[in-house]
Amino acid sequence: MPIAGGIHAGRAQGQEGQLRATAVVLQRPGESPLAIVSCDVLMFSRDLVDPVVARIEASCKIPAANVLVHATHTHHAPSTMRVHAYGPCEVFCKRLQEGIAQAVAEAQKRLADSEFAFKLGEEKTVGMNSRLLLKDNTIYWVGPRDDAVAPTGPFDPDLPVFVFRSPAGPMQALLFGHSTHSIGTLKGGVRSPAFYGMAAQALESRLGGTVAFLEGASGSTHAYNLSAKDAFDRIQEAVLAAKEQAQPQRVARLASIKRPFVFKVRTFDETAEENAVTSYCAKRIGPAGESVAVVFRQMRKELAPIQGHQRTTWLQAMRIGDVALVGVPAELFTKLGLEIKRRSPFRHTVVAELSNDWIGYLPDREGHRLGGYQVWTGFHSYAEPGTGERVVDEAVRLLKELF
């Protein structure tokens, strides 16, 4: 199976941990349930997710607007869609769809009395802003970075932890979030849920119940500053510390809004795009750079006829008592995720990118101006500038409506 996450299809031998679809279903008596599903894949399109959500609505009687399906963004799982130089593995896609539906159905069967606690924890050392300004005024992607001048954006250390326990004490489920790219395996060269997913599975073994990870706004952050093993250890420690400090929350209301969001495919200057890609690849990658540049060339060729076309995706906001969860269908720059949280009327707001769809990277306007891989035109980045800010505005509107 082609492993997603690189410019060319990756290959793996063996596997560590499990690649899972993990569901938590919440319900108040007499009300419609909410379902949150975390999947250990790079991302998926709504073409894959929408039919499964419809199936869940029909079989589990959970409204489609109340189902959030999220990708943890592991770079070590089989491909689920066309990106860069490879397409979806159809066998794996079907298994993923089955897994999502089965996880929700099984979680719903386990509904039982529950108490909710929450803590906004912190982990400052796992990750950093990775869009580094280099001395030649380009933005770092791959290759040497010994000439880095400064980061070009913020890092978000927030580590929200949702804890659900039975009134008798045992933990039923735990969800945690953090905002760094899910890249890094413990063994190397294997299929893996990456260090976040491995931490979730290790915590599940230690704590019991169900444990799942939600990827925050990490389009501009990576764990360049430490090993995957260190990240795996530190995330577990931070989650456990937050769990112990989690405070009981009154849940007077469960609610969700899921709305269509319309955006446009960007128009682009082919000459400028070609120059930006080829010059960076030649300098930072070397002789192999042309094999990378040709992939971007082909993607732009396929995108050129649809410049300016409209596309429709999903935005979603949920509330669990006084805690809000926002589902964004993109690799959202951290600056924009922080802006959603800053403007939210809720005391605690958690952003889960790569939810319900994938429309590529969503930078802020300043990110577009600075350039770099995340804004080079391709299937990984094709929304017009300003879409990121529009997503923030619409997400805040949904949050205010829920509030």
Side-chain angles (χ1 to χ4, degrees):
M1 293 181 176
I3 302 299
I7 302 302
H8 300 281
R11 298 295 167 185
Q13 292 293 327
Q15 183 165 313
E16 63 180 14
Q18 296 177 320
L19 299 177
R20 311 195 301 177
T22 308
V24 171
V25 172
L26 308 172
Q27 185 171 18
R28 280 170 42 85
E31 298 180 2
S32 296
L34 302 184
I36 301 166
V37 191
S38 173
C39 304
D40 291 320
V41 296
L42 186 69
M43 65 258 182
F44 35 59
S45 69
R46 61 177 297 185
D47 291 342
L48 183 148
V49 176
D50 284 0
V52 185
V53 172
R55 175 177 165 184
I56 290 168
E57 183 172 43
S59 61
C60 299
K61 309 306 179 188
I62 302 176
N66 289 12
V67 180
L68 185 148
V69 184
H70 169 75
T72 65
H73 205 51
T74 174
H75 282 55
H76 313 286
S79 178
T80 59
M81 60 183 296
R82 170 76 189 283
V83 62
H84 295 319
Y86 47 91
C89 174
E90 298 296 345
V91 170
F92 185 74
C93 287
K94 290 177 182 177
R95 291 179 185 171
L96 174 60
Q97 289 177 312
E98 287 298 316
I100 293 167
Q102 289 177 19
V104 172
E106 291 173 18
Q108 190 173 41
K109 289 177 183 177
R110 296 186 187 183
L111 280 170
D113 290 345
S114 186
E115 297 173 348
F116 172 48
F118 181 83
K119 171 65 178 178
L120 183 60
E122 185 177 79
E123 215 313 319
K124 296 180 179 179
T125 67
V126 177
M128 57 181 281
N129 181 271
S130 52
R131 280 177 49 83
L132 305 172
L133 179 66
L134 304 173
K135 285 185 178 178
D136 61 4
N137 285 322
T138 60
I139 300 297
Y140 179 71
W141 171 40
V142 293
R145 59 177 187 274
D146 51 359
D147 59 338
V149 176
T152 59
F155 171 71
D156 184 359
D158 285 356
L159 189 140
V161 175
F162 301 70
V163 183
F164 302 93
R165 298 186 183 95
S166 75
M171 196 182 80
Q172 297 162 320
L174 183 150
L175 300 172
F176 71 93
H178 199 242
S179 300
T180 292
H181 253 69
S182 293
I183 301 177
T185 64
L186 305 185
K187 293 180 181 177
V190 293
R191 292 181 303 277
S192 171
F195 65 85
Y196 281 127
M198 292 295 289
Q201 291 174 36
L203 287 164
E204 189 170 289
S205 295
R206 294 169 70 172
L207 300 173
T210 296
V211 179
F213 168 64
L214 301 174
E215 177 76 278
S218 62
S220 53
T221 57
H222 288 72
Y224 290 152
N225 51 342
L226 76 174
S227 69
K229 178 61 168 64
D230 285 339
F232 167 78
D233 291 335
R234 294 182 191 188
I235 288 294
Q236 286 187 76
E237 291 173 8
V239 172
L240 289 171
K243 171 183 171 291
E244 293 306 310
Q245 299 170 28
Q247 295 297 308
Q249 305 288 315
R250 178 172 173 267
V251 182
R253 187 176 176 212
L254 292 173
S256 177
I257 303 172
K258 186 189 290 185
R259 291 233 174 94
F261 176 83
V262 178
F263 67 100
K264 287 184 178 180
V265 177
R266 76 176 63 140
T267 58
F268 58 90
D269 181 328
E270 171 59 27
T271 300
E273 293 279 350
E274 174 70 7
N275 290 340
V277 174
T278 55
S279 61
Y280 185 96
C281 291
K283 183 173 183 178
R284 300 282 167 176
I285 301 177
E290 177 58 19
S291 70
V292 173
V294 72
V295 174
F296 286 88
R297 215 169 283 142
Q298 176 61 32
M299 290 192 293
R300 293 195 305 273
K301 182 178 179 181
E302 294 180 48
L303 286 168
I306 60 170
Q307 294 178 81
H309 286 204
Q310 287 191 343
R311 293 286 184 270
T312 303
T313 186
W314 294 112
L315 286 180
Q316 187 170 9
M318 285 183 167
R319 69 177 295 173
I320 304 169
D322 295 326
V323 181
L325 176 63
V326 178
V328 177
E331 292 177 65
L332 194 68
F333 271 33
T334 303
K335 180 179 179 180
L336 296 174
L338 289 169
E339 185 69 4
I340 290 173
K341 293 193 285 187
R342 184 187 72 81
R343 292 171 54 188
S344 172
F346 289 86
R347 181 181 178 188
H348 296 298
T349 300
V350 178
V351 176
E353 67 173 24
L354 300 166
S355 293
N356 304 314
D357 194 10
W358 180 72
I359 63 170
Y361 281 96
L362 277 188
D364 58 300
R365 287 187 180 276
E366 176 65 5
H368 275 284
R369 186 189 69 78
L370 290 170
Y373 160 75
Q374 293 88 356
V375 304
W376 293 344
T377 298
F379 298 138
H380 73 301
S381 182
Y382 63 91
E384 66 179 356
T387 304
E389 284 82 359
R390 288 184 55 235
V391 162
V392 171
D393 290 343
E394 184 59 28
V396 171
R397 273 192 285 271
L398 294 181
L399 288 165
K400 288 180 177 178
E401 187 173 333
L402 275 181
F403 189 74

